[in-house]
Amino acid sequence: MLFDRLDRYIARNVLGAIIVVQCVLLGLDITIAYIGDLRDVQGDYTALDVLLYLGMRTPWRFYQYAPVAVLIGALIGLGSMASSNELTVMRAAGRSLARIVWGVMKPVLLVVVVVLLVAEYVSPRSEQFAEVWRVEQRQGENAQPISRSGWQFEGDSVYRFGAIRADHVVLDVTRYRFDERRLVEATHAARAHWEGDAWRLENVTTTRIFDDHTEAAFTDEEVWPTAITPEQLERLLRPIESQSPSELWAYAQYLREQGLQADQPLLYFWQKVLMPLTMASLVLIAASFVFGPLRTVAAGTRVFYGVVTGLSFKYVQDLLAPASTLFGFSPVWAVLVPTLVCAAVGIHFLRRNG
Amino acid sequence: MSKPIRKRVWITGLVVALGALLVWIDPRGPESVPIDPEAQADEPGHVLENAEVTLFGENGRISQSLATPRLIHTPQQNHTWVESPDALLYDSEQRQWLASADVGTLDTARQALTLTGNAHLIAPDEGWQLDSEELHYDGINAHAWSDVPVLLQQPPQTMNAERMDVWLDDSRVELSGRVRGHHPAETNRP
Amino acid sequence: MILFRYLTREVLLTMAAVAGILLLVIMGSRFIRYFSDAAEGDIPVTILGSLMVFHLPGFMELILPLAFFLGILLAYGQLYMNSEITVMVACGMSPVRLLRVTLLPAAIVAVLVGLCSLWLTPAGALQTAATLEEQRSRLDVSVIAPGRFQDFGGGRTAYIGSFTSDGTEMRDVLVHEQAQAAGDEHVHSYITRAASGYQETRLDTGSRFLILENGERYGVTPGMQAAERLTFERYTMRMNLSQDRRELDSLEFATTPELWQDDSPRAQAQWQWRAGLPLMVFVLALLAQPLSRVNPRQGRFAKLLPAVFLYVAYLSLLLAAVDAVGSGALAVAVGVWPVHLLFLGLGMLLLWRSQRRGMR
């Protein structure tokens, strides 16, 4: 039977612990981030807006803390069963060590699949929406230089873009047009809409500078003659790590076609796609700590050691992957090799302790 | 029970200590030169050589332009200092008044210019010139004034005064305070 | 008394373990985030280590109270599980006496938290800002890849077209600055474009200069006719920003004694926040004890989730009150203390209930 009563019991315990740990981590991190972000409260961008902004970014924080929460949750679930000697009962009832560990893996993989769905569909949109919402909130009084603006050269003009919305609407577009090194025209448009094949600018203010005088003009709408496509702006304005795996893959292919180096998007892509495997290997290592003769050490201590080892392996993986691409490893191996090593070490410990 | 407990404390202490140590011994940057804050405070933010400043007014027309071999702007004190400035002051009819001095300071936001050290103000095509040790000019309402002894030269006559006010738009000059004129005899007018 | 020592050690050990894990998690994720910034060249790797150490008190100030709260919950939960509490009750231990026992660890943690919040965190925050600012003035321009826009921090962005073969001189340099003059709420933006440029460092002040040659600098706001044009033969620009002094004296960096004297609402609010944290530890201790009562079937992690929500609610109410006092909505005299009193009252209520029902 794939999923019998004992498996269900283990799954309930582990899932409960994972949810609790995720809430603890999210609650703490959001509080710390809130205190940190209070600094950019200004004018009508109030503390409530900061809270709203952080609320919108919760899916992305959820994604970031999920692996750690799964690792600690699985361990605490196992640990609590071990401390009430239920594990010994199970093994006495003839359930092999591997079946128990597999019982723990099922909820872990379930949670990881949920996390992957969030990474594909929810967090990229929520990150983009949050960023755009913040630009719109603070655009009222541009007293605060926008921190994450994107710049682009095209012909004799330099463009600066505030942010891009999911429906391809770009906010806060500034253009400086030069003739050689002399600035001829400075233009600002609140929004730019993509109309299928061309851009339309909305509430455009312009200042033209001549040798002996300047002219200012304001138009409601204006056509924007440019070769820049929405996809280019998407890549320019959206941080790479929070993009969904499919977007990362498309971006990597696009870079390959251009003959450019596509290591960075590929690395993030493989890190996201191979997450079930990496998580399983981490839980394997950590779980090996919980099993083993309970007489000598209290369960709580084992959980602690398991968590610390699991975390250090996770951070080694996170630091090793970008570093290895520097040495020319292809991103796939940069993520896969540490995972396989972890799994091997885990299995070895399990067999020894089991 | 006490042996494992001590072990647990030892482990936690080790982790925190290791974290702090690992974080602290990171490769220290190049030996940092001790910075003295006074030098940093009045260190100029922007120094421009052989520069030409052009200010456009609210109406889009040039209100002032100024050429200088050396301009120093210190953002902390929001202070712009120019060396031997040659300035062109434009009035409402865009006539160009010439102004120069040894040293000047400029506030681009309020378009206020202060010239010190044998300052001259030359009126366009009317042939008179004002010399003084200090000359203030407010670009927004085109008004120049000086409250130190000033010499008005309108060849062949010259006039001295304690204080003077000039409104460029209607080129009106007002001299006040012990005004003394010197009018050479009619004969040697050129 | 042995029981006293046993309980205190149990609580402190669990707290140390929980604090260690939370610290490792939070510091770890922040380190990874900073590491990816460093990889992109935003902040150099060398200052990564000192940045984390300066952030440590800021984290401890929040993690320690939570860890202590969870520590009590888990430790006493464990005692309930092993029904040691029932044994204690049999020997005449009442909730109030148990509370007196937990007061000692609470005092130790409160001192630690107070040390962090009143002294270390402001100093750490000041050091972080100073390091970042100083690092920004040392930013080596030649490290920037040509053909890419690089953010210099403080609203300044630079673009370098290309480098000469020996890499010392730059061709076609563009610099965009957004400066806010003191006292003027409007942001002016300046754009400078020059044919060539190189960089120098002044040894005594340690500031790095970008020297541009044959170029023009424009101060213009689209839509407004008032503008400023400046053509130059050579333009020496200091890299770090002018108003670094202004940034450094914001309330967050002020030392506690300074806050105490300055009686503006914002300063008083910040002071009340910092003084409130050690107090919070005692209130949490009071709250944790009745909450830790758990029956063996539920397992000792059952009460963890409600406890965390309580903690986050407590903190957010505190933050809201600080913000209200700061913005003048709440009188400084009243200040933040009602929030502490509210949770103290809640704790008293829970304690009274468990006292009456006798800790079964």
Side-chain angles (χ1 to χ4, degrees):
Chain A
M1 292 181 302
L2 177 65
F3 211 60
D4 63 9
R5 177 179 296 280
L6 267 186
D7 279 338
R8 268 205 304 283
Y9 178 73
I10 296 177
R12 202 173 60 245
N13 252 328
V14 165
L15 271 181
I18 289 177
I19 292 165
V20 165
V21 171
Q22 180 73 327
C23 289
V24 170
L25 293 181
L26 274 184
L28 192 58
D29 188 55
I30 286 181
T31 319
I32 291 179
Y34 179 68
I35 293 173
D37 286 359
L38 273 180
R39 222 177 282 126
D40 44 8
V41 166
Q42 196 173 34
D44 45 22
Y45 185 66
T46 62
L48 192 62
D49 294 336
V50 171
L51 202 62
L52 274 176
Y53 175 65
L54 284 176
M56 285 181 218
R57 299 197 62 185
T58 330
W60 172 238
R61 277 184 203 289
F62 170 81
Y63 167 75
Q64 276 179 320
Y65 277 114
V68 172
V70 161
L71 171 65
I72 301 179
L75 249 163
I76 288 185
L78 264 178
S80 69
M81 284 193 286
S83 70
S84 43
N85 302 323
E86 284 156 333
L87 283 189
T88 347
V89 164
M90 285 186 206
R91 289 176 67 191
R95 183 163 284 257
S96 78
L97 187 67
R99 276 295 302 277
I100 294 177
V101 170
W102 175 238
V104 174
M105 281 301 171
K106 271 181 259 181
V108 164
L109 292 180
L110 172 72
V111 169
V112 165
V113 165
V114 165
V115 169
L116 273 181
L117 288 178
V118 164
E120 172 62 28
Y121 297 107
V122 179
S123 70
R125 294 293 159 272
S126 69
E127 276 297 284
Q128 187 174 14
F129 181 78
E131 203 51 43
V132 162
W133 181 80
R134 194 158 80 128
V135 167
E136 268 162 356
Q137 288 304 319
R138 290 162 68 147
Q139 198 169 19
E141 22 67 44
N142 57 7
Q144 188 73 19
I146 296 172
S147 55
R148 269 195 62 76
S149 50
W151 289 80
Q152 178 94 12
F153 246 103
E154 190 191 39
D156 55 11
S157 303
V158 177
Y159 292 94
R160 186 173 77 108
F161 304 103
I164 184 163
R165 278 206 317 232
D167 52 5
H168 291 333
V169 169
V170 185
L171 297 170
D172 185 17
V173 180
T174 313
R175 173 180 63 184
Y176 295 103
R177 201 152 55 80
F178 287 91
D179 156 21
E180 209 36 55
R181 275 190 303 287
R182 180 165 287 268
L183 182 67
V184 170
E185 186 189 57
T187 316
H188 176 264
R191 279 175 301 284
H193 289 271
W194 174 251
E195 311 261 298
D197 55 0
W199 291 93
R200 180 171 52 79
L201 298 177
E202 258 179 33
N203 94 61
V204 186
T205 52
T206 318
T207 302
R208 271 182 284 282
I209 302 176
F210 301 92
D211 278 354
D212 56 0
H213 72 287
T214 62
E215 279 165 16
F218 168 77
T219 54
D220 270 341
E221 277 184 16
E222 204 179 285
V223 173
W224 172 20
T226 173
I228 300 178
T229 64
E231 288 70 26
Q232 273 174 318
L233 288 184
E234 283 259 337
R235 276 187 273 284
L236 178 70
L237 293 170
R238 280 180 55 207
I240 188 155
E241 60 269 7
S242 67
Q243 294 191 6
S244 74
S246 49
E247 282 162 340
L248 287 167
W249 183 257
Y251 184 39
Q253 300 315 332
Y254 164 75
L255 285 176
R256 279 232 179 90
E257 281 141 25
Q258 307 280 327
L260 295 172
Q261 219 227 4
D263 269 356
Q264 207 197 7
L266 270 179
L267 179 70
Y268 286 114
F269 171 76
W270 284 115
Q271 265 177 346
K272 292 190 176 179
V273 166
L274 288 179
M275 185 198 273
L277 213 58
T278 39
M279 273 323 298
S281 68
L282 285 177
V283 171
L284 260 178
I285 283 191
S288 62
F289 273 80
V290 176
F291 295 99
L294 279 183
R295 280 173 305 285
T296 54
V297 172
T301 342
R302 288 180 169 284
V303 168
F304 177 73
Y305 294 154
V307 165
V308 170
T309 354
L311 277 179
S312 14
F313 266 90
K314 179 185 180 318
Y315 289 137
V316 161
Q317 261 180 9
D318 287 353
L319 292 177
L320 206 57
S324 52
T325 48
L326 298 182
F327 305 121
F329 280 92
S330 93
V332 179
W333 295 112
V335 177
L336 212 54
V337 164
T339 313
L340 296 180
V341 164
C342 280
V345 165
I347 292 169
H348 163 69
F349 266 124
L350 263 179
R351 188 159 290 120
R352 198 167 62 80
N353 284 7
Chain B
M1 202 36 193
S2 68
K3 189 176 78 54
I5 296 292
R6 215 165 356 83
K7 201 155 161 245
R8 181 156 58 169
V9 169
W10 180 73
I11 278 276
T12 335
L14 173 76
V15 163
V16 174
L18 185 69
L21 183 71
L22 184 75
V23 144
W24 190 78
I25 51 145
D26 65 278
R28 302 301 296 164
E31 204 34 52
S32 55
V33 171
I35 301 171
D36 54 4
E38 300 79 26
Q40 193 155 37
D42 53 30
E43 189 176 45
H46 313 263
V47 176
L48 290 100
E49 281 142 46
N50 299 337
E52 198 204 320
V53 185
T54 316
L55 297 182
F56 295 94
E58 293 298 333
N59 49 29
R61 283 203 301 279
I62 295 189
S63 73
Q64 256 178 74
S65 90
L66 180 142
T68 167
R70 194 169 160 71
L71 178 146
I72 297 181
H73 174 61
T74 317
Q76 301 93 305
Q77 292 113 14
N78 204 346
H79 171 73
T80 309
W81 176 90
V82 279
E83 187 188 297
S84 66
D86 289 332
L88 285 176
L89 312 177
Y90 292 74
D91 59 21
S92 48
E93 283 95 24
Q94 288 304 94
R95 289 178 311 166
Q96 293 174 350
W97 295 62
L98 286 165
S100 62
D102 295 346
V103 162
T105 63
L106 175 67
D107 178 338
T108 49
R110 297 202 321 281
Q111 302 196 8
L113 181 64
T114 310
L115 301 174
T116 40
N118 63 64
H120 308 289
L121 178 61
I122 301 157
D125 54 47
E126 277 164 29
W128 55 264
Q129 171 180 333
L130 273 162
D131 304 339
S132 160
E133 272 315 296
E134 198 181 286
L135 180 70
H136 301 278
Y137 175 67
D138 165 12
I140 293 174
N141 31 44
H143 164 228
W145 73 93
S146 165
D147 34 32
V148 290
V150 68
L151 167 69
L152 171 64
Q153 286 177 34
Q154 193 165 22
Q157 60 173 6
T158 60
M159 297 173 75
N160 292 78
E162 288 297 317
R163 221 192 102 74
M164 71 97 183
D165 285 278
V166 182
W167 283 270
L168 274 64
D169 289 348
D170 39 33
S171 58
R172 190 157 51 82
V173 178
E174 241 180 53
L175 295 179
S176 49
R178 291 185 32 253
V179 180
R180 292 185 318 288
H182 164 63
H183 310 282
E186 205 51 38
T187 57
N188 58 21
R189 172 150 331 130
Chain C
M1 82 132 163
I2 300 146
L3 186 65
F4 176 79
R5 252 201 339 268
Y6 168 66
L7 283 177
T8 318
R9 190 179 58 232
E10 195 64 30
V11 164
L12 283 184
L13 277 177
T14 334
M15 184 202 78
V18 170
I21 295 178
L22 284 180
L23 203 64
L24 203 57
V25 169
I26 300 284
M27 291 279 275
S29 68
R30 288 296 155 96
F31 189 81
I32 301 282
R33 225 173 283 165
Y34 274 127
F35 187 77
S36 55
D37 288 353
E40 274 153 26
D42 290 356
I43 40 171
V45 183
T46 52
I47 65 162
L48 212 52
S50 30
L51 268 187
M52 290 318 283
V53 172
F54 295 144
H55 275 297
L56 194 58
F59 294 141
M60 290 300 271
E61 164 185 293
L62 288 169
I63 287 178
L64 270 183
L66 177 62
F68 179 63
F69 189 34
L70 298 183
I72 295 183
L73 275 178
L74 295 177
Y76 286 177
Q78 182 64 29
L79 297 186
Y80 271 104
M81 295 276 286
N82 315 343
S83 52
E84 288 169 273
I85 294 273
T86 4
V87 165
M88 284 190 221
V89 169
C91 318
M93 163 71 87
S94 74
V96 173
R97 282 193 49 209
L98 184 61
L99 184 66
R100 232 184 286 113
V101 166
T102 25
L103 278 188
L104 176 72
I108 298 170
V109 173
V111 163
L112 265 175
V113 169
L115 195 66
C116 278
S117 72
L118 292 170
W119 172 45
L120 285 175
T121 313
L126 187 66
Q127 279 300 332
T128 317
T131 321
L132 280 178
E133 193 56 37
E134 189 240 337
Q135 207 50 46
R136 206 170 291 137
S137 77
R138 286 181 178 286
L139 199 62
D140 183 352
V141 179
S142 55
V143 93
I144 302 169
R148 201 172 76 92
F149 283 90
Q150 166 82 23
D151 173 13
F152 274 70
R156 196 180 269 189
T157 318
Y159 169 87
I160 298 166
S162 61
F163 279 93
T164 52
S165 48
D166 57 10
T168 54
E169 258 206 42
M170 301 169 253
R171 289 275 173 274
D172 183 13
V173 183
L174 180 136
V175 177
H176 178 267
E177 295 162 80
Q178 281 196 304
Q180 190 170 4
D184 155 15
E185 43 62 353
H186 191 58
V187 177
H188 302 280
S189 48
Y190 297 89
I191 188 153
T192 314
R193 193 143 188 210
S196 67
Y198 56 93
Q199 59 158 351
E200 251 174 31
T201 313
R202 246 185 77 174
L203 284 173
D204 55 353
T205 58
S207 301
R208 197 177 289 274
F209 287 88
L210 177 63
I211 293 124
L212 304 175
E213 278 160 350
N214 307 328
E216 303 190 12
R217 171 183 156 101
Y218 291 84
V220 65
T221 312
M224 282 170 58
Q225 289 192 289
E228 199 186 302
R229 174 175 61 209
L230 202 137
T231 56
F232 55 83
E233 204 183 284
R234 174 177 294 109
Y235 177 13
T236 310
M237 179 197 293
R238 189 156 66 108
M239 299 299 283
N240 62 346
L241 224 87
S242 54
Q243 72 257 48
D244 38 29
R245 289 281 108 25
R246 194 164 57 81
E247 264 158 28
L248 285 190
D249 55 25
S250 84
L251 280 178
E252 202 198 335
F253 310 129
T255 60
T256 309
E258 276 166 20
L259 277 179
W260 175 245
Q261 276 108 26
D262 164 5
D263 49 20
S264 73
R266 295 203 72 78
Q268 284 304 324
Q270 179 77 1
W271 182 83
Q272 281 176 4
W273 157 259
R274 291 186 190 173
L277 284 177
L279 249 172
M280 193 167 84
V281 171
F282 287 108
V283 175
L284 284 177
L286 179 63
L287 272 169
Q289 189 183 312
L291 272 179
S292 64
R293 200 174 63 74
V294 75
N295 60 53
R297 271 201 50 71
Q298 282 168 334
R300 61 183 182 166
F301 298 106
K303 285 285 175 55
L304 223 51
L305 205 52
V308 168
F309 283 137
L310 204 65
Y311 175 71
V312 173
Y314 192 172
L315 259 185
S316 25
L317 267 176
L318 209 53
L319 283 170
V322 165
D323 185 54
V325 169
S327 60
L330 203 59
V332 173
V334 172
V336 167
W337 314 121
V339 177
H340 294 294
L341 292 180
L342 169 74
F343 280 88
L344 193 65
L346 182 64
M348 290 298 192
L349 176 70
L350 285 175
L351 190 69
W352 181 72
R353 213 158 58 83
S354 77
Q355 175 86 349
R356 207 164 51 74
R357 285 182 43 221
M359 297 219 285
R360 259 188 322 319

